[in-house]
Amino acid sequence: MSAGGRDRELGMDRDITRRDFLNGVAVALTSALVPPRWLPAADGDAVPPGFYPPALTGMRGSHEGAYEVAHLLRDGAFWKTAGTPAATGERYDLVVVGAGLSGLSAAHAFRKAAGPSARILLLDNHDDFGGHAKRNEFSESGRMLLGYGGSFAIESPAPYSADAQALVKELGVDVARWSSVMDAKLYSSQGLRAGFFFDKETFGADRLLQIPTSTGDSEGADDEAEAKDGWPRFLAASPLPDAARAGLLKLLTGRVDYLPGLDETAKRARLARMSYADFLTGPAGMPREVVAFFQCRPHPLYGVGIDAVPAQDAWGLGLPGFAGMNLSDRPGPGMNYDSIRHKEADDYFFHFPDGNASLARLLVRALVPAAIPGTTADDIVTARADYSRLDEAASPARVRLRSTVVRVAHGAPRGDGREVEVTYSRGGKLETVTGRRVILACWHAVIPYICADLPPDQKEALASAAKVPIVYTNVLLKDWRAFQRLGVHRVHAPGGFHSSFNLDLPVSIGAYRFSRGPDDPIVVHMMRTPCLPGHPARDQHRAGRMQLFATDFATFERNIRDQLARALGGGGFDPARDVRAITVNRWPHGYAYQYNSLFDRFWLEGGPTPCETARRRFGSISFANADAGAYSYADAAIDHGLRAAREALS
Ligand SMILES: Cc1cc2nc3c(=O)[nH]c(=O)nc-3n(C[C@H](O)[C@H](O)[C@H](O)COP(=O)(O)OP(=O)(O)OC[C@H]3O[C@@H](n4cnc5c(N)ncnc54)[C@H](O)[C@@H]3O)c2cc1C
């Protein structure tokens, strides 16, 4: 079939993108003729009437218009043509750079301690607040459907700190309600479980199979009886060659000590220095298809595959091969936070239909009540924010979006310290404001470019916090009949463009209702982690980031349609008919980098961590963001926001 014919079959000619791209803006324009960056807001200060970024579809996350100024700064090209900044004359008690969870938490804590009349300004380069905590909103048949464009849930491998828990509670979120807002049995009661998609490019044939454990959650034998019968059936139905089937069965159900003759300490030292892929092909003697089978398992947490994840971490993550190795149930030195699970952390979980965007919205409502109606953590779910009210002169706290901070510098001593001048670029113009205190809650890798006076060791530490690229795609489907016919609600697809996809979690909060039956529209969440297997983690992240910036929306759309058609075609899925809207949340600068025993010697052998140097207070400037803890969870963002606020208040 010609490329054009396949495109038509996939529905690339359907007008969903154009129609939905304009969804958030009340203007009648043909998107093909208008560069996307014009759509969110015309150049200048004013937010266009009705501008509502959560409903924008197409390429979101790091959207066009959000990153160009920062990239010019990085390339040393910005100041050559920037012109002279205009002083706004605005003075604040606190200026926060970055309106993600960290910056918002910092602003909230500062205001609480300093009083409601404290003047606070938050600046962010995106057209929406929340940073990685991003809301995606769809509408189908008059009904609102929500998705999370980034941060998924209140959860963390380590227990939430008392301060972070107190903030969550203060915002009205009762995590103990989780089991009452989620219908945990909806999919399983209909026979749906996790699936595995073998693709022909990686495994020789396209085939979707149910994963044979009781929950389908893990490749570990969590239900021994089921695993005993289920895995042989699964493997027999798979397109894997005989040697790979035999190897996988041994790995999944056997109890072999693959490092005999070593005591536990020596085993752990070896496992911490060897990738899981090397463990599989080395001591465990597995063929390459077994590596391909597990390659993407750590993607959702590490942003890289098993070639760059230590074998000791794989043990912590519950990957198979360690049952016979006599490892005690305690973490070893050098393990990544993600592979150390604390039992107390398990009960502290809550997911809003838009993920942690609800937390960001609760914080913004507390700071700027006029911008978001309502009073509870239930009504926040369906509340429509008024973006034109975020930055009003009459409000003591203001959120100024589409504003990339390009310079932060101490000025003359004044009162209790040195004031800080903050310069930002908005709508092609440079403006300055002054803050008695400044909190940099933005990505640490940006800071050396905007804060020239920092000491060299701090700049180096900040620059080392290069983020992990990741994509969260939300696809609005007309219904989920194909999933039901195939008996899957979640599919792991290691060879796919997205390495996994799943039906949205059935969560109802306040007036929001989840998709009850297979005939209802639903949001499918897809995850892609661009990386370059075989290279050190940071190099993989750099390559993935470049790849993301170079991939256009049409390429995403074609791959999304193709992947869903191939995996779900057997259930009657028709991408041209069933796909109603697509939002690609591209995060070239995604998770905070977490240290890894394969690549960060200090992490395994001891010594100061770069994030401690990076977050050292500098005059009137403090440093927040999840990067300050090298910990990619919302609680780190909150904890470091609160610490920075305490510094600013002291
Ligand atoms: C896809 C994804 C899924 C995640 N899922 C979870 C989860 O389920 N649970 C969990 O606990 N954590 C999760 N996390 C991590 C967690 O969401 C983050 O740690 C947290 O939201 C980070 O908040 P932050 O404020 O530190 O940073 P950010 O959210 O990144 O906010 C910083 C803001 O600063 C802005 N900024 C940067 N430079 C400038 C500049 N020069 N001028 C102005 N603004 C600037 C950025 O654009 C951004 O908007 C996830 C992260 C990602 C990316």
Side-chain angles (χ1 to χ4, degrees), residues 184-260:
K185 297 254 180 293
L186 177 72
Y187 297 136
S188 59
S189 66
Q190 307 203 22
L192 273 57
R193 50 207 286 176
F196 190 101
F197 182 68
F198 293 92
D199 64 290
K200 61 174 179 289
E201 293 84 348
T202 314
F203 297 103
D206 278 359
R207 201 162 300 163
L208 178 70
L209 299 176
Q210 282 186 326
I211 291 178
T213 58
S214 55
T215 61
D217 276 340
S218 97
E219 273 86 26
D222 61 341
D223 177 334
E224 282 197 19
E226 171 73 13
K228 202 159 163 260
D229 299 339
W231 282 115
R233 267 202 312 274
F234 172 88
L235 292 168
S238 77
L240 293 169
D242 287 346
R245 290 182 190 178
L248 259 175
L249 193 62
K250 180 175 160 198
L251 201 69
L252 290 160
T253 59
R255 299 182 76 84
V256 181
D257 186 348
Y258 291 109
L259 293 176

Side-chain angles (χ1 to χ4, degrees), residues 66 70 73 97-104 123-126 128-134 148-156 160 356 403-406 441-443 446 450 467-468 470-472 587 589-592 624-627 631-638:
L73 263 182
V97 180
L101 289 175
S102 201
L104 289 167
L123 294 161
D124 198 285
N125 55 324
H126 287 102
D128 202 350
F129 53 80
H132 293 143
K134 192 68 75 195
Y148 50 99
S151 200
F152 159 70
I154 297 173
E155 64 165 343
S156 187
Y160 261 50
N356 287 336
S403 303
T404 305
V405 171
V406 292
C442 54
W443 305 331
V446 177
I450 63 178
K467 298 255 195 196
V468 178
I470 192 156
V471 180
Y472 274 14
W587 298 111
H589 304 271
Y591 295 159
N625 196 279
D627 287 344
Y631 187 61
S632 181
Y633 288 85
D635 54 331
I638 295 171

Side-chain angles (χ1 to χ4, degrees), residues 123-167:
L123 294 161
D124 198 285
N125 55 324
H126 287 102
D127 61 12
D128 202 350
F129 53 80
H132 293 143
K134 192 68 75 195
R135 175 181 174 98
N136 287 173
E137 203 172 305
F138 300 97
S139 155
E140 176 73 11
S141 314
R143 188 171 151 196
M144 175 197 281
L145 287 106
L146 295 174
Y148 50 99
S151 200
F152 159 70
I154 297 173
E155 64 165 343
S156 187
Y160 261 50
S161 69
D163 285 348
Q165 289 198 31
L167 178 64

